[in-house]
Amino acid sequence: MAERRKLIAGNWKMNGLKADGLELASDLAGRLKGAGAVAFDMLVCPPFPLLFPVGEAITDSPLALGGQDCAPKLSGAHTGDVSPQMLKDAGCSFVILGHSERRQDHGETDAAVKAKAEAAIGQGLVAIICVGETEAQREAGQAEAVVGAQVAGSLPAGANAATVVIAYEPVWAIGTGKTATPADVAAMHGFIRAELAKALGDADAVRILYGGSVKPGNAAELMSTADVDGALVGGASLKADDFWAIGTSCR
Ligand code: PGA
């Protein structure tokens, strides 16, 4: 089995002004530097206006930087959009794509997510592709069908373990304090890996993150669950102590 290093990714969403972002990122960068060898990679994904200052503040640290979305194009007449080339220029190495809040609030389809991911990969970014079912879909027994279709439809050409990370985030677990049980998480992650293997041939090395109310109190159990290769963290990524504790829960 391939060795998959855990990825602990912080999705700041639409939170924080420049001073907050600089303080949080510098704190984490300092801890990472001081900690020496750790069992995880750590990533922060601030809102667009904070990417440049945060990127400059963490250049000399192992803390990685990512965007929360990008356009499927590199430049041009696309008011309000931010291109993957611009993310790269700001120091990003990752971009979150197809988060359920974007699928819901901005009507992003699987095809749109795929196009964005292809543009992002073309710029050398790693695309973190988010998938997940709603509570109604899970109750109707459709969780695997929904997630399987999202994986198949969103996966870019050129996807492999070096270009794509999948984040499974059940919509009903995001920001609600509810988490899926480790058994449900293991089942879904195993299902996703099998779907990836069908599409890619070999998915052994692809990282699959869990997201949805990950906190210091549940991180150790979730991070030791089969086929869970890290976490995509919203609320708890805004506090350095909590986010760091999630990282250090990785073994
Ligand atoms: P949460 O958000 O940790 O606040 O539930 C996770 C996410 O939406 O990525």
Side-chain angles (χ1 to χ4, degrees):
M1 200 183 78
E3 184 67 30
R4 295 186 299 267
R5 191 171 156 82
K6 297 266 194 301
L7 173 63
I8 303 300
N11 175 9
W12 294 3
K13 307 194 179 183
M14 198 172 70
N15 293 296
L17 301 180
K18 187 173 159 187
D20 313 306
L22 283 175
E23 191 184 325
L24 177 53
S26 304
D27 185 331
L28 293 167
R31 292 187 202 218
L32 266 181
K33 266 192 187 172
V38 288
F40 57 90
D41 296 329
M42 188 166 256
L43 162 70
V44 290
C45 301
F48 288 138
L50 304 192
L51 287 174
F52 267 100
V54 167
E56 278 164 15
I58 65 174
T59 9
D60 294 332
S61 92
L63 183 62
L65 186 71
Q68 299 175 15
D69 178 41
C70 72
K73 301 252 166 63
L74 299 190
S75 64
H78 305 286
T79 303
D81 285 341
V82 172
S83 86
Q85 200 173 30
M86 293 168 181
L87 296 185
K88 193 77 187 164
D89 195 35
C92 291
S93 44
F94 289 83
V95 59
I96 299 170
L97 294 172
H99 188 281
S100 61
E101 286 151 16
R102 296 213 55 90
R103 290 179 187 263
Q104 271 169 6
D105 300 351
H106 300 274
E108 284 189 11
T109 61
D110 292 334
V113 175
K114 178 178 174 171
K116 289 175 176 206
E118 285 172 354
I121 290 173
Q123 293 304 300
L125 296 167
V126 177
I128 302 178
I129 296 178
C130 304
V131 296
E133 81 286 358
T134 64
E135 190 154 34
Q137 288 164 335
R138 176 158 283 266
E139 278 167 6
Q142 296 166 348
E144 286 193 352
V146 168
V147 169
Q150 286 175 334
V151 169
S154 309
L155 213 55
N160 59 45
T163 57
V164 160
V165 171
I166 303 292
Y168 169 57
E169 300 201 304
V171 177
W172 48 272
I174 294 176
T176 58
K178 296 185 196 173
T179 39
T181 64
D184 284 344
V185 173
M188 185 58 91
H189 281 229
F191 169 75
I192 291 171
R193 196 171 305 285
E195 292 299 293
L196 289 172
K198 277 190 220 160
L200 308 178
D202 179 9
D204 225 26
V206 179
R207 295 195 277 194
I208 305 176
L209 314 184
Y210 171 78
S213 299
V214 177
K215 303 206 163 12
N218 60 23
E221 188 177 31
L222 286 163
M223 293 306 104
S224 59
T225 297
D227 277 309
V228 173
D229 308 312
L232 182 54
V233 186
S237 75
L238 297 172
K239 291 193 194 121
D241 285 346
D242 287 359
F243 193 50
W244 185 252
I246 292 169
T248 55
S249 75
C250 297
R251 294 281 163 254

